[in-house]
Amino acid sequence: MSKLDRSFYLMPTLEVAKNLLGKFLVINGKKAVIIETEAYIGPIDKACHAYGYKRTKRTETMFMPGGHLYIYMIYGMHYCMNIVTEKEGEPCAVLIRGIEGASGPGRVCKALGITKEYDRKDLLSDDIYIEEGIAVKEEEISIAKRINIDYAEEAKDFLWRFSIK
DNA sequence: GCTGCGATTATC
DNA sequence: ATAATCGCAGCG
């Protein structure tokens, strides 16, 4: 099966977040089915690290072209894995919240062995990539508010969390 | 150079 | 409900 190409990651962030459901994430010889995602859209999203195009050492990754990995440490003990979307200069990403067998962004990274080493990696490389997976029907997708972003004011009510029922 | 906190998780 | 634990942004 072939890996997804650049054009997949350049679609609108919400489309990518939804379309990632059911795809296979391949890394270290492991293959994981993506079952839950969340979208983060920097230009308009107070919950996003790069809100309002804020550039810092950490958020710099999100300004890369779609199809790269954005990995960051949270609470000093867990890594979170994101897939950068949109064209270069638009800081947007999709957080992988769950794979089959591991629920929660921290657990996903632990299960797959993801660390800071993978930050800025290209998903078109051979080390790690995503390929076509199982088909997910529109009616099998549940849409909800994102989690743990209560500080984000109006953005906390955006329905940007997607999962397979 | 300090200070405070976070896109979480495990355990009470 | 709360502790664990640390990189780094913000401030000055």
Side-chain angles (χ1 to χ4, degrees):
Chain A
M1 212 170 289
S2 60
K3 67 183 73 162
L4 299 180
D5 65 14
R6 183 75 63 198
S7 63
F8 177 86
Y9 305 104
L10 295 178
M11 292 188 295
T13 305
L14 294 175
E15 287 298 307
V16 177
K18 193 195 294 186
N19 290 336
L20 276 173
L21 297 175
K23 295 288 189 293
F24 296 143
L25 174 63
V26 183
I27 173 178
N28 292 335
K30 301 191 191 83
K31 186 177 289 194
V33 184
I34 297 172
I35 61 173
E36 186 176 356
T37 63
E38 272 182 7
Y40 286 85
I41 303 180
I44 61 170
D45 181 6
K46 286 179 180 165
C48 183
H49 296 150
Y51 172 57
Y53 295 90
K54 185 167 81 167
R55 271 183 191 265
T56 66
K57 185 175 180 182
R58 180 172 67 164
T59 66
E60 195 60 36
T61 307
M62 272 195 275
F63 288 83
M64 297 176 81
H68 288 79
L69 286 174
Y70 169 44
I71 312 293
Y72 66 91
M73 171 161 276
I74 185 68
Y75 297 106
M77 54 183 75
H78 302 291
Y79 286 104
C80 288
M81 172 185 186
N82 301 253
I83 293 163
V84 176
T85 59
E86 310 281 349
K87 65 187 183 206
E88 183 171 10
E90 294 297 311
C92 303
V94 174
L95 170 68
I96 306 301
R97 284 201 71 88
I99 57 175
E100 200 169 58
S103 180
R107 292 202 203 108
V108 168
C109 288
K110 190 178 177 198
L112 297 176
I114 301 280
T115 66
K116 198 92 180 147
E117 306 284 301
Y118 287 87
D119 188 45
R120 305 178 71 87
K121 279 226 179 191
D122 193 344
L123 283 170
L124 296 192
S125 73
D126 290 324
D127 301 343
I128 176 169
Y129 57 91
I130 296 176
E131 61 181 29
E132 276 304 331
I134 58 176
V136 180
K137 298 193 189 76
E138 190 75 19
E139 58 267 27
E140 294 176 318
I141 299 175
S142 77
I143 302 178
K145 292 181 184 179
R146 292 174 296 171
I147 296 178
N148 290 331
I149 52 161
D150 291 345
Y151 58 87
E153 300 172 34
E154 83 280 352
K156 73 182 180 0
D157 293 323
F158 294 169
L159 298 171
W160 287 357
R161 177 166 160 242
F162 305 91
S163 58
I164 299 178
K165 287 175 183 168

